[in-house]
Amino acid sequence: MASTAAAPSCPSTILLLIVLLGLLRHGGGAREPFACDPNDAASSGLPFCRTAAPIPERVKDFIGRLTLQEKIRLLVNNAAGVPRLGIQGYEWWSEALHGVSNVGPGTKFGGDFPGATSFPQVITTAASFNASLWEAIGRVVSDEARAMYNGGAAGLTYWSPNVNIFRDPRWGRGQETPGEDPLVAGTYASSYVRGLQGNDGNRLKVAACCKHFTAYDLDNWNGTDRFHFNAKVTRQDRVDTFDVPFRMCVKEGKVASVMCSYNQVNGVPTCADPNLLKGTIRDQWRLNGYIVSDCDSVGVFFDNQHYTSTAEEAAADAIKAGLDMDCGPFLAVHTEDAVKKGLLTETDVNNALINTVTVQMRLGMFDGAPSSQSYGNLGPKDVCSPPHQQLALDAARQGIVLLENHHSTLPLSANHHRTIAVIGPNSDVNLTMIGNYAGVACGYVTPLEGIARYTAVIHQKGCDGVACTTEDSFGDAIAAARSADATVLVVGLDQSIEAETIDRDGLLLPGRQQDLVSKVAAASRGPTVLVLMSGGPIDVSFAKDDPRISAILWAGYPGQAGGAAIADVLFGTTNPAGRLPMTWYPQSYLSNLPMTTMAMRSTPSYPGRTYRFYAGPVVYPFGHGLSYSNFINKIIKAPTTVEVPLSGRHHHHHHQSQSAASLSSKAIRVSHAKCQNLSLVIHVDVANKGDRDGSQTLLVFSTPPASSSRWVPRKQLVAFEKVHLAAGTRRRVQVHIHVCKYLSVVDKSGARRISMGEHDIHIGDTKLTVLLQPVTERKKNS
């Protein structure tokens, strides 16, 4: 503001004229080039602007022209411009968890871009088990992101998706994740990232980021918060569970960025751990991109965790560990002193910049005007377009899970159910439906509005909010249920109960909602349907056991069109096909189970976590979900034995004398097997015996040989397929299971091994047994 204050004599009409001329010149909000503006003779001739030259040469030329001070101002999210080289400032922090969001300062709504398509929260979309849907959403989100970038309203670097494992049902951010299974989370990560980044070789449509690395799944529980938490994790659990989605994101999704987390892992802040950043992400997985800190992580490990005694040491530790960018001011403030004190060299700083500037060049930010580039034609017409909004509706329809449906109460019929009582604190909500890390939606359809499209409604909330403390409004809700032909209760949670910084204490419905549900169901003249809106699981045993409640469905946080999708499922326009991406535990599971205990595996005194290791009672299991159709799976063709060829090269001499027979009961290291193309192919016939078109979700689980010790999972998902079938038809599906990747288990030292012997493969209630046998290859030249 200083410049206008310094020139009070400038009349506003002249200012207006200048502004209008500026708008005319830039076509109404078109972005000025970030760098290499062809109209800027001074910089556009520099070698780093030559688009025909290889990117590494251009990066080297650019960094070679910077002073140390200029370099240091590029290590933070609000990177400063370098006017003498024609470089604008850039804000790296934008978010696109399930739609372009304004949570980060890099994106602003308003003007030509009043909102963007708001898809269902990730936990809901994960319930579709449909990888092609995940990629399609990524494509739409990146179209809208590029359009907003072209219009000067957003960045090109998005710190999404969140692929942490939903380890504990109380976690407030579990809603942002693809659930508790590593294969699902990793497939989600690579699919969504491919949709965001495009498939134009090394060029990027936008740069995605898998976060928060690693073992980050606690926000604030019982006095422990994420800024002070030291997650004590075994190598086995890290390799087997927590790191899997990140590995798949980098190796299969080719993500352009990974974010390290606030917490420590085994006493070291993740953003200062060279074994995690340089050792794992960059060297082992070969990240082609940059590593960024969670916002203020570097400040947090210095100020809150007191990990180093000086700020300069903290800056040096982070950069030397492999951090390339600090979300926050810390590195901009302390890096120069770290170099002066000899804790860091200028080469270390250059190496960080090589990673960030390379991503900017792959995005085309050094190629002149955005309008002249790929995606340069995208603009306001491409944000909230009808096809994009249709995909948000379709995603919600695919993510809704039918948990109970007694006596085929659902679908309802507009002919028989002419008036419906719509009751509950979430019955007419809009913001609640888009969850957290959302932007401004294009528009909303609430559950009430969705149901009202089908039939007449009587609306009574009964509870003014999810944490309601009185029964003052119950009477009106009960009266409505008495008079209507059917009752739909929409209850659950919202961001006041589960969110970033808020973990839950328990799994029951908050406030007086449970009483509201029971009393309304008891009074209801027609069938009562319970619709749950939440990110995390809810213990609804009371409703499951209540004969007055005919059907239960879970809608997650279903996005901007959530109410329309809920109504489409209730009235049978959509045949539900979602499956739970996480276990629904009873409240009793939490007794004596600290959220801070990270161990996945069970012991006689510890229940274990997620369906892979927990064998106790559940309200609903992982993968549960019903349909209005009846699907039959039949295994048509599958091998009974798979031979696992051993490569001779890793064995020492004394190993080589071992016969294959003596290995047959062992678990062989994946690194000792010839894994290429070693895959188990199962041919399954899927038939839709119902009178409605629908989708079957094939979940394929494997149980390793019983001889294996306690550290082996009870069962694990090894493949999943979505199959759409018209009523009365059947289809043959080939399921491919990569033996080394998915039939292996991780031993206590963190090594991946394939158990020899009989593996049980389950597809629904069909089972087959496959014997894995080692064969020693004699050939010397293999």
Side-chain angles (χ1 to χ4, degrees):
M1 293 308 291
S3 54
T4 41
S9 59
C10 174
S12 55
T13 46
I14 297 178
L15 265 180
L16 189 64
L17 202 64
I18 293 168
V19 170
L20 283 173
L21 283 169
L23 284 176
L24 286 170
R25 212 180 84 224
H26 297 300
R31 174 180 287 279
E32 291 204 16
F34 164 75
C36 304
D37 186 341
N39 301 321
D40 176 5
S43 67
S44 60
L46 294 171
F48 65 78
C49 291
R50 292 181 194 146
T51 53
I55 284 179
E57 275 176 35
R58 297 170 68 195
V59 171
K60 193 176 172 195
D61 176 78
F62 172 65
I63 292 173
R65 293 169 188 279
L66 299 171
T67 66
L68 178 62
Q69 285 75 12
E70 286 167 337
K71 289 173 185 174
I72 285 168
R73 283 296 291 119
L74 298 180
L75 293 172
V76 287
N77 61 292
N78 56 338
V82 187
R84 65 185 186 86
L85 298 176
I87 307 290
Q88 305 259 3
Y90 178 68
E91 175 54 73
W92 285 78
W93 181 5
S94 287
E95 302 273 359
L97 183 70
H98 50 109
V100 179
S101 163
N102 55 350
V103 168
T107 302
K108 302 271 186 286
F109 290 112
D112 285 341
F113 302 102
T117 309
S118 201
F119 287 91
Q121 182 56 290
V122 176
I123 193 75
T124 314
T125 305
S128 72
F129 283 85
N130 183 352
S132 59
L133 172 69
W134 302 334
E135 188 168 341
I137 293 173
R139 276 197 299 274
V140 163
V141 173
S142 54
D143 273 354
E144 298 198 348
R146 264 289 169 175
M148 289 180 68
Y149 174 77
N150 293 342
L156 287 176
T157 45
Y158 288 84
W159 293 344
S160 308
N162 176 344
V163 297
N164 293 116
I165 294 291
F166 198 166
R167 170 185 65 90
D168 187 293
R170 293 165 284 197
W171 188 31
R173 299 190 75 174
Q175 57 177 307
E176 300 173 33
T177 75
E180 72 185 33
D181 180 77
L183 170 63
V184 174
T187 306
Y188 178 87
S190 49
S191 305
Y192 188 61
V193 165
R194 268 195 297 273
L196 288 176
Q197 297 191 162
N199 46 12
D200 184 8
N202 196 40
R203 305 288 294 188
L204 293 166
K205 186 179 177 187
V206 305
C209 172
C210 277
K211 66 186 186 186
H212 315 79
F213 191 71
T214 185
Y216 170 81
D217 48 31
L218 170 146
D219 266 62
N220 193 342
W221 178 80
N222 205 26
T224 300
D225 72 32
R226 57 187 177 161
F227 306 120
H228 300 84
F229 181 48
N230 174 21
K232 297 191 174 78
V233 185
T234 63
R235 185 167 169 76
Q236 182 179 35
D237 280 342
R238 228 192 74 206
V239 172
D240 184 45
T241 300
F242 299 115
D243 288 3
V244 172
F246 292 94
R247 189 186 76 227
M248 290 175 70
C249 188
V250 174
K251 292 180 76 162
E252 293 168 33
K254 306 273 184 273
V255 78
S257 171
V258 172
M259 178 185 287
C260 50
S261 53
Y262 290 119
N263 55 293
Q264 299 187 352
V265 171
N266 301 329
V268 185
T270 60
C271 293
D273 190 339
N275 297 321
L276 288 180
L277 306 189
K278 274 203 166 116
T280 305
I281 300 173
R282 201 163 287 290
D283 298 347
Q284 237 183 303
W285 299 340
R286 322 267 356 133
L287 171 72
N288 176 17
Y290 70 100
I291 297 175
V292 62
S293 74
D294 202 343
C295 296
D296 281 330
S297 282
V298 185
V300 162
F301 78 66
F302 174 64
D303 296 321
N304 301 30
Q305 299 172 5
H306 312 297
Y307 183 67
T308 59
S309 48
T310 67
E312 294 81 17
E313 287 169 307
D317 276 4
I319 291 172
K320 286 199 293 203
L323 188 73
D324 303 308
M325 167 159 293
D326 174 20
C327 175
F330 200 91
L331 291 186
V333 179
H334 300 292
T335 302
E336 192 176 351
D337 287 341
V339 173
K340 279 186 185 149
K341 290 187 173 174
L343 300 167
L344 199 62
T345 65
E346 189 161 351
T347 308
D348 294 320
V349 175
N350 294 348
N351 289 339
L353 292 184
I354 288 169
N355 293 325
T356 54
V357 176
T358 299
V359 166
Q360 289 181 308
M361 289 204 180
R362 291 169 63 199
L363 285 162
M365 291 172 66
F366 283 77
D367 297 354
S371 55
S372 63
Q373 300 172 32
S374 336
Y375 317 113
N377 56 336
L378 294 170
K381 66 180 189 320
D382 301 293
V383 182
C384 287
S385 64
H388 291 185
Q389 297 204 52
Q390 180 60 40
L391 187 64
L393 171 60
D394 195 41
R397 288 167 165 168
Q398 292 193 41
I400 291 172
V401 182
L402 181 62
L403 298 172
E404 300 280 351
N405 190 17
H406 303 299
H407 321 297
S408 302
T409 299
L410 292 180
L412 301 172
S413 127
N415 295 333
H416 295 126
H417 307 105
R418 295 188 172 209
T419 62
I420 292 193
V422 182
I423 293 168
N426 283 341
S427 57
D428 194 27
V429 290
N430 44 32
L431 279 175
T432 296
M433 295 195 300
I434 61 176
N436 71 351
Y437 278 78
V440 176
C442 314
Y444 296 99
V445 182
T446 71
L448 177 67
E449 291 164 349
I451 295 167
R453 292 174 174 182
Y454 282 93
T455 186
V457 293
I458 316 170
H459 182 228
Q460 289 292 341
K461 278 173 71 173
C463 265
D464 54 358
V466 292
C468 58
T469 51
T470 74
E471 299 196 359
D472 295 354
S473 313
F474 281 22
D476 294 337
I478 289 166
R482 276 209 181 99
S483 65
D485 298 323
T487 298
V488 176
L489 281 145
V490 191
V491 301
L493 313 177
D494 64 19
Q495 302 303 310
S496 69
I497 305 290
E498 52 171 359
E500 189 166 14
T501 74
I502 305 172
D503 296 325
R504 287 187 287 163
D505 328 323
L507 304 180
L508 302 173
L509 278 174
R512 305 298 290 271
Q513 290 187 88
Q514 189 163 316
D515 294 333
L516 176 69
V517 171
S518 299
K519 288 178 178 176
V520 165
S524 179
R525 186 161 67 82
T528 301
V529 179
L530 185 62
V531 177
L532 302 167
M533 224 182 259
S534 72
I538 305 172
D539 180 352
V540 288
S541 312
F542 81 96
K544 196 180 162 183
D545 299 338
D546 185 341
R548 304 277 310 168
I549 295 172
S550 308
I552 306 177
L553 54 96
W554 176 67
Y557 292 125
Q560 62 173 47
I566 288 169
D568 288 344
V569 170
L570 291 174
F571 286 93
T573 305
T574 295
N575 190 350
R579 302 292 194 89
L580 293 178
M582 72 301 205
T583 302
W584 283 38
Y585 304 88
Q587 172 72 11
S588 57
Y589 172 71
L590 302 180
S591 57
N592 303 325
L593 181 63
M595 205 169 157
T596 46
T597 307
M598 299 295 294
M600 295 297 297
R601 289 159 168 78
S602 61
T603 67
S605 60
Y606 177 77
R609 296 183 179 274
T610 79
Y611 80 90
R612 291 162 61 233
F613 302 105
Y614 168 68
V618 299
V619 181
Y620 294 109
F622 172 89
H624 176 71
L626 308 173
S627 165
Y628 298 153
S629 289
N630 176 26
F631 293 99
I632 307 279
N633 311 324
K634 199 163 154 208
I635 295 170
I636 297 299
K637 189 174 150 211
T640 51
T641 305
V642 173
E643 296 194 328
V644 179
L646 306 182
S647 56
R649 53 174 200 282
H650 294 279
H651 287 257
H652 302 302
H653 288 295
H654 65 275
H655 274 183
Q656 240 141 13
S657 59
Q658 285 192 345
S659 65
S662 72
L663 288 170
S664 59
S665 63
K666 292 202 168 56
I668 287 162
R669 273 177 180 264
V670 165
S671 55
H672 295 176
K674 291 189 170 172
C675 290
Q676 232 174 338
N677 309 328
L678 185 59
S679 133
L680 168 63
V681 184
I682 303 172
H683 299 252
V684 186
D685 257 3
V686 185
N688 178 351
K689 300 287 193 189
D691 51 5
R692 296 167 178 271
D693 301 355
S695 291
Q696 165 69 318
T697 308
L698 284 184
L699 301 182
V700 185
F701 294 97
S702 151
T703 300
S707 61
S708 318
S709 64
R710 176 184 286 137
W711 47 263
V712 172
R714 297 170 54 235
K715 61 172 187 174
Q716 57 188 7
L717 192 69
V718 294
F720 58 94
E721 300 280 341
K722 201 83 182 174
V723 190
H724 188 76
L725 289 169
T729 63
R730 66 174 59 233
R731 254 178 68 192
R732 182 153 308 179
V733 182
Q734 280 191 31
V735 179
H736 292 259
I737 301 167
H738 189 300
V739 172
C740 293
K741 269 188 199 166
Y742 302 126
L743 293 183
S744 56
V745 291
V746 174
D747 71 15
K748 287 185 171 160
S749 71
R752 205 161 258 290
R753 294 178 174 269
I754 311 166
S755 300
M756 296 297 133
E758 294 193 337
H759 291 244
D760 288 336
I761 309 285
H762 306 262
I763 305 177
D765 39 23
T766 325
K767 189 179 104 165
L768 92 140
T769 301
V770 179
L771 179 68
L772 293 194
Q773 275 187 330
V775 289
T776 317
E777 309 230 326
R778 296 266 168 245
K779 289 196 224 67
K780 281 278 174 275
N781 58 0
S782 54

